Amino acid sequence: MLNLFNVRRLSWGSSSGGQEKVELSVTELESLRSELAYLEEREAYLKAQLEHVDEILRSARFSGYLYIRTRWTALPGEPPPLDDTDVDDWLPRFVVLNGPCIFFYLLSTDFSPQDSTLLADIVEVGSLPSFTRENDKTWYSSYILTRQGLRYECSSISEVQVDSWLKVLQADIKLDSETKVPSWFQ
């Protein structure tokens, strides 16, 4: 099909006005029309993605790409988790703090997140030791622990980015815990 658009296959002719004239067969014309329709659909889709990203970035309090991996804490009676420091299962995610939630997108242009967690479910955030990955670069990391026992580990080569996320989340969790009435008081 792509061979139809090959420049050598198109028959070029000259007109008397100095303008070049292209002669197309019916098959080539229909193929061009369908290609144009596809490109118009693709353009509409990309515009929708761009508007979605724009909306996310305008409404989000904080956003950016971080490398994420998840771990579950051991339940009572379970053996402690294996040491997995040598396992390289960090995946890039576009992380958005918006309202009472943290959203984890595969890409910034995705329409819906792959995962999310409520700030109210976060019980602890903190720093993790830095480590070395490919090309001997130092990676800085932190963690987010939820009340369900899910631990999000976040990393980046930017220490400032990791520290900024930590400060914002620690402030939000502190404010959230201060506004809650302790269970023993109810």
Side-chain angles (χ1 to χ4, degrees):
M1 188 60 128
L2 291 175
N3 289 334
L4 291 174
F5 299 109
N6 192 338
V7 176
R8 284 178 259 129
R9 291 210 16 120
L10 295 176
S11 44
W12 296 88
S14 298
S15 67
S16 59
Q19 297 178 349
E20 294 183 6
K21 181 178 170 184
V22 177
E23 295 176 15
L24 299 173
S25 69
V26 173
T27 308
E28 292 171 331
L29 184 61
E30 288 303 316
S31 181
L32 282 174
R33 284 183 181 157
S34 67
E35 183 69 20
L36 266 174
Y38 167 76
L39 290 174
E40 287 171 353
E41 288 176 20
R42 180 83 175 137
E43 179 186 23
Y45 176 76
L46 292 174
K47 281 182 181 179
Q49 277 187 319
L50 184 61
E51 289 171 5
H52 177 70
V53 170
D54 186 53
E55 181 182 329
I56 285 175
L57 294 177
R58 287 179 191 264
S59 64
R61 293 190 354 229
F62 215 67
S63 63
Y65 275 97
L66 290 172
Y67 280 78
I68 304 289
R69 68 181 187 175
T70 55
R71 298 289 184 264
W72 288 98
T73 55
L75 295 172
E78 284 187 335
L82 298 173
D83 180 23
D84 60 358
T85 52
D86 293 337
V87 177
D88 188 10
D89 56 350
W90 296 95
L91 299 170
R93 295 290 180 258
F94 187 70
V95 185
V96 176
L97 174 60
N98 190 0
C101 286
I102 299 174
F103 299 98
F104 300 91
Y105 293 86
L106 182 62
L107 299 170
S108 62
T109 55
D110 288 351
F111 286 113
S112 56
Q114 283 194 328
D115 196 7
S116 65
T117 190
L118 291 169
L119 290 177
D121 286 341
I122 297 175
V123 294
E124 187 180 337
V125 293
S127 296
L128 290 172
S130 59
F131 59 94
T132 304
R133 275 184 72 187
E134 59 218 32
N135 301 334
D136 294 329
K137 289 184 180 178
T138 301
W139 288 73
Y140 303 93
S141 57
S142 63
Y143 68 92
I144 301 167
L145 182 63
T146 67
R147 73 178 71 207
Q148 294 85 8
L150 182 60
R151 177 177 159 137
Y152 294 97
E153 296 180 358
C154 312
S155 70
S156 173
I157 58 172
S158 170
E159 185 176 15
V160 172
Q161 185 181 21
V162 172
D163 287 345
S164 298
W165 272 100
L166 267 176
K167 287 177 186 172
V168 167
L169 290 175
Q170 285 170 339
D172 280 359
I173 291 169
K174 182 179 177 187
L175 288 174
D176 197 31
S177 64
E178 288 174 356
T179 57
K180 288 182 184 175
V181 177
S183 58
W184 53 267
F185 187 70
Q186 296 176 345

